[in-house]
Amino acid sequence: MKLILDPAQAMLAKTASDFANKHDPVDRQRQLRNDKSELGYSPAVWSEMADLGWTGIPFAEDLGGLGMGMAEAVLISESMGEALAPEPFISAVIFAGSLIEALGTTEQKQAWLQPTIEGQKRLAVAHQEQATRFDPAHCTTTAEQVDGGWRLTGTKAHVIDGYDANGWVVAARTSGGDRDEDGISLFIVAAGANGATCTHQARVDSRNASTLVLAGAPGELLGGVDGGGPALSEAIDRATVALCGEMLGMVREAFERTIEYLKTREQFGAKIGTFQALQHRAAEMFVEIELCKSVVMGAARTLDEDGDVSNRIAQVANAKARCSDTVILVTNEALQMHGGVGMTDEYDIGLFMKRARVCELTFGDASYQRNRFAKAQGF
């Protein structure tokens, strides 16, 4: 397994970085926050990303995609992390899109996947519920077959980019107990469906998230009955690795901003970057970031090349645990090294810290992922 970029990947990474820098990195996120945008991203920028083909990166060419993989998708999310870009690449393309590609009928792919690739529609995945603590098998939302169709009842929380989506991929229980790994089915619920109410959910990072309340809402079965669990687990792993790419880009940018501050800020007649204690802390940050780079690359390539489920889970869990620890370490250290000004809204470092807090918990924190890793290794 190679852990370096080939020429095509290096070109994609540079293009993505240039694109992110062109759209006022970080300042755009600040403006969306100040405007209290519930959508949380710019449709114009999202349309440009689709025109560049990035929304088709992980999908087969016969579906209108580019036939690439997670190794390339991570390069996009990494550049988005550097700029705190809030576009729904992970939620709509990597997460929901992979479920439609894996389980959808020809008609469902035409109705949802192709418009996603074109940037015309987006789905969000509604799989989490309150008090489920990251466990995708803990599902109390139910689906009942009525008159040849399905009716869904339950409440989904923390639906990433769920507000104002064109529809949702909903995990619902069709058999078994609330915590059984088997018995989960997936359904597509279109926006505006009777019995489906989506409300905006405020978050510390000002991104788009929602609560979805289903009261007998009609759902279109995606895949087989009781067969959604394994596909959902794999899709979560793919989205988790893409999120790790975003976290990697975020910590690299926070680190670079901090190093620049250490080079320019003077205290007691000297640049604070000359203080040995701060040099040691900066060195620790650098080492942890380089380690994250390796584990994220390894996890992405495992998803592309290795069909072994246990190894996939172990590699993804390892990457997310490491990135969760590092994103907190680096943003905490960055804020402290900036001193009092780091606490002010004038400096961007606080925006990185807020996003870091959300990323740490999304798809499972470090403790949860270490437990997943242990179980995958047979412990």
Side-chain angles (χ1 to χ4, degrees):
M1 180 187 296
K2 64 178 183 178
L3 294 179
I4 58 173
L5 301 181
D6 61 31
Q9 291 170 336
M11 182 178 295
L12 177 62
K14 184 179 185 307
T15 302
S17 181
D18 291 344
F19 178 85
N21 289 326
K22 181 183 79 169
H23 288 284
D24 299 323
V26 185
D27 289 341
R28 188 164 61 88
Q29 169 62 20
R30 181 187 293 278
Q31 188 61 50
L32 287 166
R33 182 206 63 181
N34 293 345
D35 292 342
K36 296 184 175 8
S37 169
E38 292 184 331
L39 184 61
Y41 70 92
S42 168
V45 174
W46 181 239
S47 180
E48 280 191 62
M49 292 176 68
D51 291 341
L52 288 168
W54 295 345
T55 51
I57 279 178
F59 306 119
E61 293 183 41
D62 60 359
L63 296 173
L66 297 183
M68 296 181 178
M70 287 303 302
E72 290 77 20
V74 161
L75 300 177
I76 304 300
S77 63
E78 183 178 343
S79 294
M80 294 177 69
E82 292 177 3
L84 292 183
E87 277 61 45
F89 178 74
I90 295 174
S91 61
V93 176
I94 305 301
F95 199 2
S98 65
L99 286 170
I100 300 298
E101 182 180 35
L103 301 178
T105 63
T106 300
E107 292 75 16
Q108 288 171 332
K109 291 175 182 177
Q110 290 176 346
W112 294 105
L113 187 57
Q114 291 181 359
T116 295
I117 294 172
E118 295 165 0
Q120 301 301 315
K121 286 184 179 180
R122 64 179 178 87
L123 286 166
V125 180
H127 71 288
Q128 293 187 94
E129 299 178 5
Q130 292 183 352
T132 56
R133 192 60 182 173
F134 314 128
D135 183 6
H138 190 174
C139 180
T140 61
T141 298
T142 59
E144 181 182 7
Q145 196 163 17
V146 179
D147 298 329
W150 294 88
R151 294 290 183 268
L152 279 63
T153 302
T155 300
K156 295 295 185 180
H158 305 295
V159 183
I160 302 171
D161 295 315
Y163 186 76
D164 207 32
N166 299 105
W168 306 274
V169 177
V170 180
R173 188 160 294 286
T174 44
S175 67
D178 290 349
R179 295 176 181 270
D180 290 348
E181 293 186 2
D182 297 326
I184 294 176
S185 302
L186 300 177
F187 299 86
I188 300 174
V189 177
N194 291 331
T197 304
C198 184
T199 56
H200 185 263
Q201 189 175 12
R203 283 186 162 187
V204 70
D205 63 350
S206 306
R207 297 289 184 93
N208 183 333
S210 68
T211 299
L212 180 63
V213 178
L214 304 167
E220 181 182 355
L221 184 65
L222 179 64
V225 177
D226 293 345
L232 177 62
S233 178
E234 182 173 356
I236 291 173
D237 281 345
R238 294 173 69 85
T240 298
V241 171
L243 180 67
C244 287
E246 179 185 344
M247 296 164 78
L248 174 61
M250 193 191 320
V251 294
R252 288 173 62 178
E253 179 65 18
F255 176 74
E256 292 298 330
R257 287 170 179 254
T258 302
I259 294 301
E260 185 61 29
Y261 186 77
L262 296 181
K263 291 178 179 179
T264 57
R265 175 77 168 104
E266 290 192 9
Q267 189 69 40
F268 306 115
K271 299 288 193 298
I272 63 174
T274 63
F275 300 160
Q276 191 175 55
L278 296 184
Q279 291 176 358
H280 289 170
R281 291 165 70 177
E284 180 186 11
M285 292 162 66
F286 176 81
V287 170
E288 292 299 326
I289 292 170
E290 288 299 302
L291 182 55
C292 278
K293 182 178 178 180
S294 296
V295 296
V296 171
M297 279 188 173
R301 282 157 175 73
T302 296
L303 286 169
D304 289 338
E305 302 169 6
D306 191 348
D308 182 75
V309 175
S310 294
N311 189 43
R312 181 199 84 206
I313 293 173
Q315 292 292 333
V316 172
N318 180 39
K320 183 55 166 65
R322 176 57 58 185
C323 287
S324 289
D325 285 342
T326 302
V327 78
I328 298 302
L329 169 70
V330 171
T331 53
N332 281 356
E333 289 285 74
L335 190 71
Q336 290 183 16
M337 290 186 188
H338 275 76
V341 296
M343 297 295 293
T344 68
D345 196 54
E346 179 183 354
Y347 279 71
D348 292 335
I349 203 67
L351 299 176
F352 285 88
M353 172 174 272
K354 290 175 181 178
R355 179 59 182 160
R357 290 300 187 273
V358 174
C359 290
E360 176 203 10
L361 297 174
T362 301
F363 303 128
D365 61 10
S367 177
Y368 171 80
Q369 295 295 348
R370 288 191 178 96
N371 285 334
R372 283 190 82 217
F373 179 88
K375 290 179 180 178
Q377 297 292 350
F379 293 104

